[in-house]
Amino acid sequence: MSGFIIGLDQSTQGTKGLLFDKEGHLIAREDEPHEQKLGPQGHISHDPNEIYGNVKKVVTRLLSKNGIRTGEVLGIGISNQRETTLAWDHQTGKPFCDAVVWQCARAEKICRQISEEDGDYIRKHTGLRLSPYFPASKMAWILQNCTSAREAAVRGKLCLGTMDSWLCFKMTEGVVFATDYSNASRTQLFDLHSLSWNDKLCQIFGVPKEALARVQASDSLFGETRLDGLFDRPVPIHAVMGDSHAALFGQNCRQSGQMKVTYGTGSSLMLNTGGRLVESEHGLVTSIAWKAGGRVEYVLEGNLNDTGAVVSWLKNGLGLISSAAETEKLAFSANPEDMTYLVPAFSGLGAPYWKSQARALLLGMNRKTGRAEIVKAALDCIAYQVTDILLAARQDSGMELLQLRADGGPTKNRYLMQLQSDMVKLPVLVSETEELSGAGAAYMAGIALKIYDDRRIFAGLCHHTYRPQMRERTQKERYEGWKEAVRRAFQDINT
């Protein structure tokens, strides 16, 4: 009997539907973008109903275009944009406001009002530095600014959650309000030591604990869905993970010491530390990779606010390119001696600096700096930022790092990938499977449903390897120039 697993990757820019057969081969993919709502104060929002509607669209097209009967779908795995935060009515399923996107720093004032002592407590118990990046302060902002959400909290009808919780709730018609360990660990409300919601953290942020989702294993059953009548029988949702965690799983970085970077709108570098919870002293955060097979695994992670978003800025903000594909040729054609640096702090800088007030900076130009050199600087800053995080992960973990696995759309760019290998001075293995977040969720669901054998499913992974080529002196000069540019970007907020 034929059968298929669907991986749903609900990302920052849109929703992807991936169709896998019973051998784990990718058969088809469908994408549906959603609106990026930019407010006058720099607020970034998404429409939750539009996103759920897009889930139904991509699944419908996957089935219809490929002649798949609904009864042939055996399971669904979900990966999601993390930290994006929503509030909705538990009874009606109606959102109280648009989702606050992970990039949005509107809760910065709330974070500034939290005491240093409480900030230390937050970091000790969650592994996360106090930042408007994480959902706790976003939830606090919603409660402070949305009257209907506050009223629902009083009535005991408020749901506060991340995108995975919203999708599971909608897909199960309100039956399941749950999240997994990976997403919970990113909220700044989940205690990594007790593995539960922390009462004091909820009190610090003013978030009612009873409004939070049930936390369950990443490979557990998150209910069944007919997707509003699309399926003729209930289909189990049997894996949920944050997108970066799902990509780590999809890259088969399931052993301690293995590391990957996912390039997207923002980027995430993760180092698997196994069952060892490593507290960062160098600007990274500690999270849970997943709970699967009854075992909790931890990671060290650094998140970058603007990586692929920098390329979008070149296209939509400056008009220097008409598509991302142009950047590779332009960067290769640029003057290699040009020392223009872009510090892409369009929404502050994340790890390892944690400067939410930092602003973007372009410096080092001369009379000969032109379009190609600015495009090159935009790609360079992606590789430099990832290098910052990798060096911090090496210092925190004390591990010998042997390679860096890479995935995501920007890995198609040969200039960027070669520079990344040169900067980290390690082989960079680029997955030939581009969408590993959705794939990782599908693999986990298939394994949990005993459709996939975990040894066979990962045996077919293919990579293209980039190896360091740059002279050590050149590498050192270029990276030191980057560090100086970052220091310059901080001058205005430090004075």
Side-chain angles (χ1 to χ4, degrees):
M1 175 184 174
S2 62
F4 301 88
I5 297 289
I6 290 177
L8 290 173
D9 178 31
Q10 201 296 294
S11 68
T12 309
Q13 299 295 325
T15 300
K16 306 178 188 74
L18 306 174
L19 185 68
F20 296 87
D21 65 15
K22 290 186 77 171
E23 301 300 318
H25 301 132
L26 178 62
I27 303 301
R29 166 181 167 174
E30 291 292 332
D31 296 69
E32 189 69 32
H34 55 258
E35 181 184 0
Q36 307 296 309
K37 296 187 174 185
L38 304 178
Q41 296 176 293
H43 294 179
I44 310 171
S45 306
H46 291 160
D47 180 347
N49 285 324
E50 180 188 11
I51 287 173
Y52 177 58
N54 288 349
V55 167
K56 293 189 288 185
K57 287 180 182 178
V58 298
V59 173
T60 299
R61 292 204 298 265
L62 280 177
L63 301 183
S64 62
K65 288 185 178 181
N66 297 283
I68 307 299
R69 298 188 301 272
T70 61
E72 294 180 288
V73 178
L74 305 179
I76 294 173
I78 296 174
S79 65
N80 60 283
Q81 52 167 312
R82 304 175 306 167
E83 291 91 27
T84 295
T85 303
L86 306 84
W88 66 95
D89 189 298
H90 192 280
Q91 188 170 2
T92 67
K94 181 180 178 181
F96 293 116
C97 57
D98 282 335
V100 182
V101 178
W102 60 269
Q103 293 168 301
C104 186
R106 71 181 71 180
E108 182 179 330
K109 183 179 178 181
I110 291 172
C111 290
R112 290 203 305 266
Q113 292 171 341
I114 291 174
S115 69
E116 183 176 344
E117 181 181 343
D118 283 341
D120 290 339
Y121 182 90
I122 290 167
R123 182 181 175 189
K124 179 180 179 181
H125 286 267
T126 69
L128 308 174
R129 290 170 176 264
L130 177 63
S131 170
Y133 181 96
F134 298 111
S137 60
K138 290 175 168 35
M139 292 177 182
W141 187 93
I142 290 172
L143 289 168
Q144 291 180 17
N145 291 273
C146 182
T147 302
S148 56
R150 291 198 304 274
E151 292 174 347
V154 173
R155 300 195 311 271
K157 299 297 182 182
L158 176 64
C159 292
L160 286 169
T162 43
M163 192 59 69
D164 58 308
S165 300
W166 166 251
L167 292 182
C168 288
F169 185 90
K170 293 294 288 182
M171 291 172 72
T172 62
E173 299 181 7
V175 173
V176 175
F177 178 40
T179 189
D180 90 300
Y181 276 72
S182 70
N183 280 291
S185 74
R186 303 292 297 179
T187 60
Q188 211 150 58
L189 296 171
F190 191 75
D191 194 311
L192 295 185
H193 304 280
S194 67
L195 298 177
S196 63
W197 299 122
N198 180 296
D199 290 325
K200 182 174 179 178
L201 292 171
C202 290
Q203 182 181 7
I204 290 170
F205 288 100
V207 172
K209 184 178 175 181
E210 59 273 14
L212 300 175
R214 180 179 72 250
V215 183
Q216 54 187 71
S218 309
D219 62 350
S220 61
L221 177 65
F222 287 80
E224 296 179 320
T225 181
R226 289 183 181 268
L227 211 56
D228 291 350
L230 176 62
F231 298 121
D232 55 14
R233 62 172 180 79
V235 175
I237 304 168
H238 226 302
V240 168
M241 284 181 284
D243 50 12
S244 293
H245 311 254
L248 188 75
F249 191 86
Q251 282 275 28
N252 196 25
C253 291
R254 298 183 295 157
Q255 302 297 320
S256 179
Q258 294 180 316
M259 173 178 58
K260 68 88 198 177
V261 57
T262 297
Y263 299 88
T265 304
S267 292
S268 160
L269 185 144
M270 276 187 171
L271 171 62
N272 189 332
T273 62
R276 181 166 68 107
L277 192 162
V278 178
E279 295 183 2
S280 176
E281 298 297 332
H282 297 90
L284 304 186
V285 300
T286 305
S287 301
I288 294 174
W290 48 69
K291 182 178 181 180
R295 177 178 169 82
V296 172
E297 308 272 358
Y298 295 91
V299 292
L300 277 171
E301 181 180 7
N303 299 103
L304 305 175
N305 293 358
D306 293 288
T307 50
V310 176
V311 177
S312 297
W313 172 71
L314 292 176
K315 176 178 178 286
N316 302 321
L318 299 185
L320 293 181
I321 57 172
S322 58
S323 70
E326 293 180 42
T327 59
E328 180 186 288
K329 184 177 180 180
L330 283 166
F332 276 128
S333 72
N335 178 5
E337 303 300 321
D338 187 272
M339 296 298 285
T340 300
Y341 287 92
L342 171 65
V343 181
F346 298 110
S347 53
L349 283 176
Y353 304 107
W354 297 104
K355 298 285 188 180
S356 59
Q357 293 175 293
R359 294 296 174 259
L361 182 67
L362 185 66
L363 76 163
M365 295 182 289
N366 58 52
R367 288 288 297 274
K368 293 185 178 181
T369 299
R371 174 185 174 218
E373 286 72 30
I374 292 175
V375 169
K376 170 179 165 292
L379 294 180
D380 291 351
C381 77
I382 298 174
Y384 294 143
Q385 291 180 95
V386 170
T387 303
D388 288 338
I389 295 174
L390 185 143
L391 294 178
R394 178 181 288 156
Q395 288 178 292
D396 280 331
S397 68
M399 293 178 176
E400 181 183 5
L401 307 180
L402 301 178
Q403 61 181 219
L404 175 63
R405 299 191 179 195
D407 59 89
T411 60
K412 294 177 181 178
N413 191 302
R414 293 175 300 155
Y415 173 86
L416 175 59
M417 291 299 98
Q418 182 57 57
L419 180 63
Q420 190 67 82
S421 179
D422 290 333
M423 285 297 113
V424 299
K425 296 189 283 190
L426 291 173
V428 173
L429 280 62
V430 176
S431 171
E432 293 185 7
T433 302
E434 181 181 326
E435 297 300 336
L436 276 173
S437 295
Y443 293 166
M444 181 176 280
I447 292 168
L449 288 163
K450 302 189 184 307
I451 295 168
Y452 295 154
D453 179 283
D454 65 338
R455 291 167 296 181
R456 291 182 60 190
I457 201 73
F458 292 112
L461 290 179
C462 297
H463 296 86
H464 177 77
T465 303
Y466 292 82
R467 299 186 185 279
Q469 297 178 358
M470 187 177 289
R471 290 186 304 170
E472 185 171 350
R473 179 179 176 182
T474 303
Q475 186 272 347
K476 183 179 180 181
E477 288 176 350
R478 291 187 62 173
Y479 187 61
E480 286 181 349
W482 160 254
K483 299 296 283 187
E484 176 59 27
V486 170
R487 285 191 287 270
R488 293 279 295 276
F490 294 164
Q491 283 180 351
D492 289 344
I493 62 174
N494 291 332
T495 58

